[in-house]
Amino acid sequence: MKQSFFSYRRYSINYFRSLGRIVSAFFLMLFLIPVFFLENRAFGQETIQVDLELVLAVDASTSVSAQEFDLQMRGIAQAFRDPSVVQAIAVAGDRGVAVAVIQWANNLLQKVAVDWFLIRDQESAAQFADIVDETPRYIFGGGTSIGGAILYSTRQMEINPFIGARKVIDISGDGRSNQGAPPELVRNQSTTQGIVINGLTINNEDPFIDRYYEKFVIGGTGAFVQTATTYEDFGAAMKEKLIKEIGGVPVAAKPNKIKLASQ
C-alpha cells in the first residue's frame, strides 16, 4: 500500500513536470512564431539594390487639420511631378529611389500609407505621385511622438526588400514631441545604422520649431532641416528638400526658408 502511494506520487510529480514543459514550450512557440515570420518577412523576398531608400513621414497628429494634412500629401505629389526632382533621381544613379510614405501621430499611431515604390524615371515618378494623391488620411488625432515616427520608419527600412546605398528618413511636422521616447535617443540609435534623418518643419504655429528639429531630431552625415513658413508652402519646401537629399548634396545646417511670393 505504502509502495503504491509513493509510486503514484512519483507518477504525479513526473506528469505535472512533463505537463509544465509542454505548456512552457507551447507559449514559447506562440511567442517565437510571429517573431520568426516578422524577422523573415524580407528574407524570402528578392533584394533590390537602389541608390536611395527614402521614408517620407507625414505628421497626422491633432495639431494638423484636414486642410493642412491635405496640403502635405498634395505637396509630396506635386514635388514628384516636378522635372527638377525627376532630374535629381536620374542623376543619383541607375538603380533608382525606393520611397514609402508613412503617417504618424503618437507612439502607437503610425501607418504605412504608401508602400515602398521604386522610382527610376518620369513615368514611375508620375505613377507614385498619382498614388499619393489618392491616399486617404489613416490617422486622425493623437499626440506628437517624433521618436515613435523615427523608430517606425527605421523598422520599415529593415523589413523592405530594398538595399539602399543611402538611407534617409524625412520627418515633416509643425510641433515638438510631447509623447513617447525622446526623439534624440531614437535618432542616435537610427543613425548608428547609417540612416540620415532630415526634417521639414512648418513654422506656422512655432516659429522656432526648426531650431528644435536641428537640436533633437535630425542626425547623420549631411542632415538638414528644410523650413516652410506655412502649410501652403509645403510643396515648394518638399521639392527643394528632395532635390538636396536625393542628390546627396552636402548642405548647411541653416536652410533657406520657403515663403509665398506675396510675402
Side-chain angles (χ1 to χ4, degrees), residues 75-86 88 170 200 224 226 233-246 258:
I76 292 173
Q78 170 189 327
F80 277 94
R81 292 190 179 103
D82 193 280
S84 56
V85 172
V86 175
D170 175 14
L200 198 168
F224 67 97
Q226 189 74 44
D233 310 325
F234 184 91
M238 174 62 70
K239 181 188 78 171
E240 184 171 333
K241 185 193 62 60
L242 286 173
I243 293 170
K244 292 177 183 178
E245 59 196 3
I246 291 173
I258 302 297

Side-chain angles (χ1 to χ4, degrees), residues 136-166:
R137 183 173 186 169
Y138 293 105
I139 293 175
F140 298 86
T144 302
S145 177
I146 297 175
I150 295 173
L151 183 62
Y152 186 81
S153 299
T154 300
R155 182 59 180 152
Q156 301 315 305
M157 288 186 165
E158 293 171 347
I159 64 177
N160 73 33
F162 298 98
I163 300 177
R166 294 184 295 118

Side-chain angles (χ1 to χ4, degrees), residues 20-202:
R21 294 190 189 101
I22 293 171
V23 172
S24 298
F26 174 75
F27 283 104
L28 181 61
M29 286 178 64
L30 287 180
F31 172 77
L32 289 178
I33 287 174
V35 172
F36 174 82
F37 282 108
L38 183 61
E39 294 297 331
N40 288 276
R41 175 177 162 183
F43 182 77
Q45 297 175 321
E46 181 182 355
T47 56
I48 304 169
Q49 300 282 341
V50 293
D51 297 304
L52 173 66
E53 287 177 67
L54 175 63
V55 174
L56 302 176
V58 178
D59 189 353
S61 61
T62 299
S63 64
V64 179
S65 69
Q67 181 183 10
E68 290 169 343
F69 176 82
D70 187 65
L71 285 169
Q72 288 185 87
M73 297 298 285
R74 300 297 79 77
I76 292 173
Q78 170 189 327
F80 277 94
R81 292 190 179 103
D82 193 280
S84 56
V85 172
V86 175
Q87 178 64 20
I89 294 170
V91 172
D94 299 328
R95 296 176 296 184
V97 176
V99 189
V101 179
I102 75 163
Q103 298 172 14
W104 62 275
N106 67 32
N107 201 43
L108 299 177
L109 288 176
Q110 306 103 8
K111 180 175 175 59
V112 176
V114 179
D115 209 351
W116 290 94
F117 192 94
L118 181 57
I119 303 175
R120 286 196 175 104
D121 50 27
Q122 182 177 1
E123 181 181 358
S124 52
Q127 291 173 351
F128 177 76
D130 290 343
I131 294 172
V132 173
D133 262 336
E134 297 171 0
T135 300
R137 183 173 186 169
Y138 293 105
I139 293 175
F140 298 86
T144 302
S145 177
I146 297 175
I150 295 173
L151 183 62
Y152 186 81
S153 299
T154 300
R155 182 59 180 152
Q156 301 315 305
M157 288 186 165
E158 293 171 347
I159 64 177
N160 73 33
F162 298 98
I163 300 177
R166 294 184 295 118
K167 301 174 185 288
V168 175
I169 295 172
D170 175 14
I171 304 289
S172 301
D174 65 358
R176 307 180 184 216
S177 192
N178 57 28
Q179 196 266 341
E184 64 271 24
L185 297 183
V186 184
R187 170 199 63 194
N188 294 343
Q189 294 172 356
S190 295
T191 54
T192 60
Q193 301 179 39
I195 298 172
V196 174
I197 301 170
N198 294 330
L200 198 168
T201 60
I202 304 95

Side-chain angles (χ1 to χ4, degrees), residues 208-224:
F208 304 110
I209 187 63
D210 53 333
R211 298 181 187 178
Y212 173 84
Y213 266 59
E214 287 169 4
K215 186 174 182 179
F216 297 109
V217 179
I218 68 169
T221 304
F224 67 97

